[in-house]
Amino acid sequence: MKIALSQLNYHIGNFEKNNQKIIDSIQKAKDEGAELIVFAELAIGGYPAKDLLRNAAFLQQCYQSIENIAEHCQDIACIIGAPVPNQDGEGKSLYNAAVLIEHGQVKQITKKSLLPDYDVFDEYRYFEPNAQVSCIKFKEKTIALTICEDLWDDDGPNSYVGDIMLELAKENPDLIINIAASPFSYTHFESRKNVLKRNVIKASAPLIYVNQIGAQTDIIFDGRSLALNKKAEVILELKAFEEDLQFVELINNDLKSNVEYNPRKTSEISLIHDALILGLRDYFQKSGFKSAILGLSGGLDSALVAALACEALGPENVLSILMPSVYSTDHSLKDALDLVENTGCQHQIIPIKDIAAAFESTLEGTFAGREKDTTEENIQARTRGTLLMAISNKFGNILLNTSNKSEAAVGYGTLYGDMAGSISVIGDVYKTQAYELAKYINREREIIPINTIVKPPSAELRPDQKDSDSLPDYDLLDAVLFQLIEMEKSKEDVINLGFEESLVNRIYKLLCNAEFKRFQAPPILRVSPKAFGPGRSMPLVAKYSFGG
């Protein structure tokens, strides 16, 4: 049996475009002699559709799409993810399902049992978990058809049926198929492979895993669909961050591939780079936007965002605004102009000295008797934010936020100033990772000026200001933040790892105190296991003195 793995980029709610992609893939697979084609989880409608799943018109289009696609399933069958109604009348009104379509009709439906409700997932809000599992039959083969999380829980707290694969293994399946919508993080791929290998061993059956690619606002899907033989060896891996269609053969109850498998050698930072490019490009294309604007300071973060935007959108669609203040150094302006020349993006220079001075003059009476402090620094940042938003409004450019994860974590940013933007491009990239990313972007030629990378970082909001005046060195700061955020450790746990107690207490306090700022920040392209946003939901007014 020849089976096609179809890895596509879906656009939530764009039924016409999605359906055409699916139908085109079916035809290509049919032309190659495939008997079965497999698509990703919730390919019908897109994932995550969130509260659109409560919209009757949206669901009706999902059901109509299944009928339209079924018309093209002659001489080939397909397995595709879709929301299906719960006919039992109890519990939630929908199931997250895998639908087998054959001879122009829906023949069998498999419902998802394990509904993730952690990190960015909230499937219990919409779907009823399936309490009974069984294999399906196709072409006299027994197939253990599962949906994403169903392979990830070994009789864990969310399991209604114990270890799902051990249950399905009782039917001696000839093949395991797992359709997924598994988001990217730079740590996730190896654990994903290990889970798949473990399930192959449990059932003594080969496995096909089909993921989607593309970005849905903040969540990015990397694809990298896989096929494993009965020895739990990977025999096929589809492209990362690209649409792909590949084939395997089920022969003598094992999978074979005509494509020689060569594991891709990818670094963590190259994956982050590719994910950000895809995330930025999809955010614009799927939202109907074309051109971007950002403030270019001559510092690392804005240079990094500008370079990524030029690669994702084309330099002709990127407008960099240089807004020197009274404290901006000549070398920062030169570094920014060198970046403009290296990328070819559009630019304008708008000095803010007089505008910031006008604010201070206007507030002179109100502020009488008080020393200058961060208020005046923030006026400069908010002046820049106002100018950027004005240009965005006038010309329809979408403002890119340039804050990094280290800054977002400790509140080193100004609300309605440098925190403004429609999408945060590097808000899930620590400062130490930003340096690595800049070097990666420069791997073939200098795009980000070397001086931008090597000079001490500074907000340049007061004379001779350095980030190190307000923050610990980024190597230390990021190491502690990683333990507190990604590893979700308490202060005591982090101190026990060998970090100085006063340092950990200081960083922890900054992290907690900045929660209200992050609540008002733009959506962040997620590349780590724990990004700010939906995947890390914290109360704004809690008391955090308990230390974890």
Side-chain angles (χ1 to χ4, degrees):
M1 184 194 306
K2 190 171 187 177
I3 304 172
L5 288 68
S6 180
Q7 177 177 286
L8 296 176
N9 186 344
Y10 304 101
H11 185 186
I12 295 169
N14 192 339
F15 291 95
E16 182 178 355
K17 185 175 182 179
N18 292 343
N19 291 353
Q20 192 58 55
K21 280 188 175 188
I22 292 165
I23 291 166
D24 288 347
S25 284
I26 291 171
Q27 186 59 52
K28 290 175 184 175
K30 191 188 301 187
D31 292 344
E32 293 290 332
E35 297 175 71
L36 176 66
I37 182 170
V38 184
F39 297 93
E41 176 183 11
L42 291 173
I44 302 293
Y47 181 89
K50 299 190 176 183
D51 278 9
L52 286 176
L53 291 165
R54 299 179 182 273
N55 184 299
F58 175 86
L59 292 173
Q60 188 55 46
Q61 288 198 64
C62 288
Y63 307 148
Q64 184 62 53
S65 293
I66 295 173
E67 293 182 15
N68 295 343
I69 290 164
E71 294 176 6
H72 297 268
C73 291
Q74 305 289 347
D75 302 318
I76 189 173
C78 91
I79 290 172
I80 192 165
V84 301
N86 177 4
Q87 307 285 12
D88 298 334
E90 295 183 2
K92 302 292 173 57
S93 61
L94 294 174
Y95 284 108
N96 180 346
V99 179
L100 173 66
I101 303 173
E102 187 180 8
H103 305 306
Q105 294 182 327
V106 174
K107 294 291 187 179
Q108 299 177 73
I109 296 175
T110 295
K111 302 160 187 173
K112 189 173 183 178
S113 295
L114 301 181
L115 304 177
D117 59 354
Y118 57 88
D119 200 70
V120 298
F121 304 104
D122 192 15
E123 292 192 26
Y124 273 103
R125 181 178 174 91
Y126 310 105
F127 298 114
E128 182 69 11
N130 178 38
Q132 295 181 332
V133 299
S134 61
C135 294
I136 66 169
K137 297 288 186 179
F138 176 70
K139 298 283 186 181
E140 300 182 350
K141 298 294 183 182
T142 301
I143 299 176
L145 179 57
T146 58
I147 304 171
C148 203
E149 191 80 8
D150 287 344
L151 296 188
W152 282 76
D153 194 324
D154 296 334
D155 198 17
N158 291 335
S159 178
Y160 283 74
V161 292
D163 188 312
I164 287 177
M165 188 47 62
L166 288 181
E167 288 295 312
L168 294 174
K170 295 174 182 177
E171 301 181 44
N172 298 313
D174 302 298
L175 176 65
I176 304 165
I177 294 178
N178 183 259
I179 63 171
S182 181
F184 167 79
S185 83
Y186 57 78
T187 64
H188 193 52
F189 186 59
E190 287 304 316
S191 59
R192 184 192 293 165
K193 280 200 300 185
N194 290 335
V195 166
L196 299 180
K197 289 178 179 181
R198 193 162 66 240
N199 282 274
V200 169
I201 293 169
K202 288 179 189 177
S204 298
L207 183 147
I208 288 171
Y209 164 85
V210 176
N211 194 19
Q212 62 171 284
I213 72 120
Q216 310 295 356
T217 309
D218 53 331
I219 303 175
I220 301 167
F221 298 92
D222 58 326
R224 291 197 282 185
S225 303
L226 297 165
L228 286 73
N229 64 19
K230 290 179 72 170
K231 296 179 181 179
E233 299 167 334
V234 175
I235 61 167
L236 179 69
E237 179 185 336
L238 273 62
K239 295 174 182 176
F241 306 108
E242 293 183 47
E243 293 188 331
D244 202 0
L245 179 69
Q246 297 291 339
F247 300 86
V248 291
E249 295 259 10
L250 184 63
I251 302 173
N252 297 325
N253 291 337
D254 204 358
L255 288 177
K256 310 288 184 183
S257 172
N258 291 328
V259 179
E260 183 179 355
Y261 175 61
N262 292 308
R264 294 185 178 91
K265 295 180 179 179
T266 51
S267 66
E268 182 178 290
I269 211 67
S270 70
L271 290 171
I272 291 174
H273 168 270
D274 293 350
L276 294 176
I277 294 297
L278 176 61
L280 191 51
R281 185 177 292 143
D282 266 15
Y283 181 80
F284 274 72
Q285 290 181 352
K286 292 179 179 179
S287 302
F289 304 141
K290 184 178 179 181
S291 57
I293 184 175
L294 73 151
L296 190 62
S297 67
L300 179 70
D301 298 326
S302 62
L304 190 53
V305 172
L308 290 166
C310 287
E311 185 175 350
L313 309 174
E316 70 279 6
N317 294 315
V318 178
L319 175 60
S320 295
I321 305 296
L322 288 63
M323 295 169 285
S325 74
V326 65
Y327 302 118
S328 297
T329 60
D330 291 339
H331 68 74
S332 288
L333 186 60
K334 181 182 184 304
D335 291 341
L337 289 172
D338 286 346
L339 186 283
V340 166
E341 183 176 352
N342 293 346
T343 60
C345 68
Q346 313 301 304
H347 83 285
Q348 291 182 21
I349 301 176
I350 305 176
I352 68 163
K353 175 183 175 182
D354 292 342
I355 304 173
F359 272 109
E360 291 187 28
S361 176
T362 301
L363 291 166
E364 190 173 8
T366 303
F367 289 174
R370 293 180 177 268
E371 296 293 326
K372 287 189 175 183
D373 54 19
T374 56
T375 304
E376 285 73 21
E377 294 179 22
N378 290 339
I379 284 174
Q380 296 172 69
R382 290 186 176 122
T383 296
R384 291 180 171 124
T386 299
L387 292 172
L388 289 167
M389 284 306 304
I391 299 169
S392 172
N393 290 163
K394 183 65 70 175
F395 297 100
N397 301 316
I398 301 304
L399 178 58
L400 303 179
N401 176 265
T402 62
S403 299
N404 63 58
K405 189 171 188 174
S406 307
E407 293 173 342
V410 297
Y412 195 61
T414 304
L415 275 173
Y416 326 120
D418 55 336
M419 288 182 66
S422 294
I423 188 77
S424 176
V425 181
I426 59 169
D428 200 27
V429 176
Y430 286 114
K431 187 74 170 189
T432 47
Q433 293 174 313
Y435 284 109
E436 293 180 53
L437 193 50
K439 293 173 185 175
Y440 179 79
I441 287 172
N442 284 359
R443 64 195 181 279
E444 295 179 357
R445 67 180 182 89
E446 184 178 310
I447 296 174
I448 297 175
I450 298 301
N451 192 56
T452 296
I453 299 173
V454 300
K455 68 185 178 184
S458 169
E460 294 190 338
L461 296 175
R462 62 175 182 266
D464 301 318
Q465 184 182 23
K466 300 287 186 295
D467 288 7
S468 55
D469 298 339
S470 305
L471 301 175
D473 288 342
Y474 281 113
D475 285 345
L476 270 177
L477 175 64
D478 290 354
V480 172
L481 287 173
F482 182 84
Q483 296 298 326
L484 293 171
I485 299 167
E486 274 84 348
M487 303 306 295
E488 299 183 282
K489 292 186 182 296
S490 69
K491 285 192 302 184
E492 290 73 20
D493 290 337
V494 180
I495 292 166
N496 289 337
L497 290 174
F499 292 97
E500 184 181 324
E501 183 175 355
S502 61
L503 173 74
V504 175
N505 286 334
R506 178 188 175 195
I507 293 172
Y508 183 79
K509 183 177 180 180
L510 290 170
L511 176 66
C512 296
N513 288 348
E515 202 64 55
F516 79 100
K517 286 188 177 183
R518 291 190 293 272
F519 190 80
Q520 301 176 69
I524 296 169
L525 295 179
R526 177 188 184 271
V527 295
S528 79
K530 185 64 67 175
F532 294 126
R536 187 182 182 274
S537 182
M538 303 293 283
L540 299 188
V541 294
K543 186 175 182 180
Y544 289 99
S545 59
F546 50 84

